[in-house]
Amino acid sequence: MTKLDLPKTDAIIVGSGPNGLAAAIRLAQAGWAVTVVEASPTLGGGVSSAELTLPGFIHDVCSSVYPMGLCSPFLSTLPLEKHGLEWVFPPVALAHPFDDGTAALLHHSVDETVAGFPSDGASYRRLIGDLVPRWRELFADVFTPLGKIPHHPFLMAKFGLNAIRSGRGLARSAFTTEKARGLFAGLAAHSLLPLEELSSAAIALVLTIAAHARGWPFARGGSQQLTGALASYLKSLGGHLITGHNVESLDRLPPARAVLLDVTPRQFLKIAGDRLQGSYRRKLERYQYGMASYKLDWALGRPVPWRAPECLQAGTVHLGGTLDEISDSERRAGRGQASERPFVLFAQASLFDPSRAPEGKHTAWAYCHVPNGYAGDMTAAIENQVERFAPGFRDSILARSVMGPAALERQNPNIVNGDIAGGALNLRQLFLRPAPSLYRTPLSRVFLCSSSTPPGPGVHGMCGFWAAETALGSE
Ligand SMILES: Cc1cc2nc3c(=O)[nH]c(=O)nc-3n(C[C@H](O)[C@H](O)[C@H](O)COP(=O)(O)OP(=O)(O)OC[C@H]3O[C@@H](n4cnc5c(N)ncnc54)[C@H](O)[C@@H]3O)c2cc1C
């Protein structure tokens, strides 16, 4: 079997998603010679952009909104602005419209946010008020794998007691207004769990605190610019990057001090072949993938005609109305049934970044959750939800790109049957991803570094960072 011909290297990183690049950067910072090998012709995995619809319209193929990238304890230390990254901050992080033509808004300021639901203001402040000013300390612990002692145990306990709860339970016990409950439900739906499941509140708290701490930015020019900045910084540290090479077997890789795999358990089983045996193999075989996503991108002739005009101030808009409706949509997706009125995560980057579309024109990005491997068509259901809160939206569509679970997986094998989280985020897999050994595998000098390891999905690079630390500590 021919070995992959690489420059002399200490570490090989398979996959150039944000975790692969973060791992490579951390090792290069420690003085290691690193080579990243990427299957796709372009770098970035879930952080990429392309003209998916018409020439001149730049769409984010997967991720688009980066509160966790901005607040990441590792990525925030890197000189990415010097390497071409410019964050774009919409004036409002998130808008959540309702059928009566009003909207709840998640502002940078807590005061402005609670002005939208004054009778729940005190509860909102109780929930996150103390945590916002201490977000750096909190996130340093939140983005650290289980097993390491938190640096700020009391802060973590205050966060953890609510984070461990179900999104629905916390929304109902903390708030009384439909506005605050609906807003919180949309945030909790980022967990990709039914909102009745324990720990589905965690991501809602993280995203809320991040909005008040720093904001929910886009990357100017498209997500590829974030990947470009990470790759450029890696090169400045001496790292090498190879694209268009799918690593099919560990046997094809030359010897190295460490191999870090930015892949999920299913691909690891394939790449490792017979080398993986026993209980570890069985754990990976039993690893659960979660609900899938169904994604649309549009080229638009004008801004979205929101009934609540304040939605035009927000980078992200959550379409699903009340807590009950959002819970229903996510419960169905979790149980293997697509919702006719799906909860839709919608982003409108070109309103704040004109470089994304020809003058006067716009882009929009949206997805909803569907059952793992769903083969139906959600185009009409998603567009109906936009139309519900923005009558006339359909008339503004110039072109659309549609990616169901299979299409998402074709462009990135880590999106197994459309699961964008690298595996279900139920309580066990939230902490012990994909097995209790986390980044370590039974294979000498082979580590996992993808979002199938803690702290899980999202563009924060912390899975890669901790995998690299584990490799450095294993020397
Ligand atoms: C539609 C969608 C929307 C999202 N929205 C957001 C968002 O707005 N904000 C956010 O923070 N997160 C978002 N996410 C999640 C985020 O993109 C992922 O959590 C993140 O990209 C995971 O990073 P990763 O490095 O673990 O893996 P990936 O980004 O998936 O990268 C893995 C890379 O490894 C490569 N690879 C796999 N196997 C091989 C092989 N055998 N040989 C060589 N290369 C290989 C793949 O081609 C890919 O480039 C979204 C994801 C999707 C799909």
Side-chain angles (χ1 to χ4, degrees), residues 60-415:
D60 293 335
V61 181
C62 296
S63 63
S64 188
V65 189
Y66 296 114
M68 289 190 269
L70 189 66
C71 292
S72 159
F74 182 57
L75 296 189
S76 64
T77 65
L78 307 181
L80 298 180
E81 280 84 357
K82 284 198 188 123
H83 289 267
L85 174 67
E86 191 186 336
W87 293 119
V88 174
F89 291 91
V92 173
L94 167 69
H96 187 114
F98 292 88
D99 287 320
D100 64 0
T102 64
L105 302 178
L106 181 58
H107 290 270
H108 182 58
S109 138
V110 173
D111 289 347
E112 282 183 72
T113 303
V114 298
F117 37 83
S119 57
D120 276 327
S123 303
Y124 189 89
R125 287 179 202 283
R126 260 196 307 280
L127 198 57
I128 49 111
D130 297 348
L131 302 176
V132 172
R134 299 188 63 194
W135 68 270
R136 274 183 209 281
E137 294 133 279
L138 176 70
F139 285 173
D141 283 339
V142 166
F143 286 104
T144 295
L146 204 69
K148 298 202 186 282
I149 297 165
H151 288 103
H152 306 94
F154 294 112
L155 196 64
M156 254 316 258
K158 180 167 178 10
F159 168 81
L161 286 173
N162 286 318
I164 203 74
R165 295 184 62 183
S166 76
R168 185 173 170 82
L170 185 53
R172 283 175 62 85
S173 66
F175 305 123
T176 55
T177 61
E178 280 301 354
K179 283 237 165 75
R181 285 181 172 182
L183 182 71
F184 196 80
L187 290 157
H190 284 252
S191 65
L192 289 130
L193 288 172
L195 301 196
E196 293 78 14
E197 286 216 20
L198 286 179
S199 80
S200 54
I203 189 69
L205 295 172
V206 168
L207 292 175
T208 306
I209 293 165
H212 294 309
R214 299 206 63 192
W216 287 18
F218 300 104
R220 184 174 302 281
S223 296
Q224 200 71 47
Q225 302 301 321
L226 171 53
T227 290
L230 288 165
S232 164
Y233 176 51
L234 176 61
K235 281 187 203 157
S236 76
L237 299 172
H240 284 86
L241 296 135
I242 296 172
T243 54
H245 188 99
N246 185 36
V247 174
E248 285 166 8
S249 166
L250 288 177
D251 298 335
R252 302 259 173 107
L253 298 177
R257 281 161 84 181
V259 173
L260 284 84
L261 301 171
D262 189 6
V263 306
T264 84
R266 189 169 299 185
Q267 296 118 282
F268 183 32
L269 283 164
K270 267 195 223 150
I271 295 173
D274 294 343
R275 293 197 200 187
L276 287 181
Q277 295 296 338
S279 70
Y280 185 82
R281 183 179 186 90
R282 282 194 296 281
K283 283 197 177 82
L284 293 200
E285 284 169 347
R286 281 202 301 266
Y287 186 74
Q288 287 176 8
Y289 288 88
M291 45 174 94
S293 290
Y294 197 103
K295 180 163 184 278
L296 297 188
D297 287 274
W298 297 277
L300 301 176
R302 57 187 163 99
V304 179
W306 300 111
R307 197 182 292 131
E310 54 274 39
C311 292
L312 288 169
Q313 300 297 307
T316 305
V317 187
H318 282 168
L319 306 174
T322 62
L323 165 66
D324 282 344
E325 185 182 327
I326 296 170
S327 301
D328 182 67
S329 160
E330 300 308 290
R331 193 182 312 118
R332 280 172 199 267
R335 286 190 186 155
Q337 223 188 328
S339 171
E340 279 171 26
R341 299 228 294 181
F343 169 65
V344 174
L345 300 91
F346 185 100
Q348 41 188 8
S350 64
L351 282 180
F352 316 98
D353 175 8
S355 73
R356 301 235 184 180
E359 205 182 333
K361 308 278 194 296
H362 288 277
T363 58
W365 163 111
Y367 68 92
C368 73
H369 300 143
V370 290
N372 188 269
Y374 179 72
D377 186 350
M378 292 297 283
T379 309
I382 292 175
E383 290 185 354
N384 286 345
Q385 286 290 64
V386 187
E387 190 75 27
R388 170 178 161 199
F389 297 103
F393 167 72
R394 277 205 174 87
D395 302 338
S396 66
I397 299 174
L398 304 174
R400 72 168 68 71
S401 145
V402 179
M403 285 190 285
L408 286 168
E409 185 171 2
R410 266 197 301 281
Q411 57 87 29
N412 179 351
N414 280 28
I415 307 179

Side-chain angles (χ1 to χ4, degrees), residues 12 14 250-251 253 256-263 268 271-272 275-276 280 437-449 467 470-471 474:
I12 301 167
V14 176
L250 288 177
D251 298 335
L253 298 177
R257 281 161 84 181
V259 173
L260 284 84
L261 301 171
D262 189 6
V263 306
F268 183 32
I271 295 173
R275 293 197 200 187
L276 287 181
Y280 185 82
S437 59
L438 310 182
Y439 316 95
R440 282 177 211 282
T441 76
L443 308 183
S444 161
R445 297 194 293 271
V446 177
F447 303 87
L448 287 173
C449 70
T470 309
S474 304

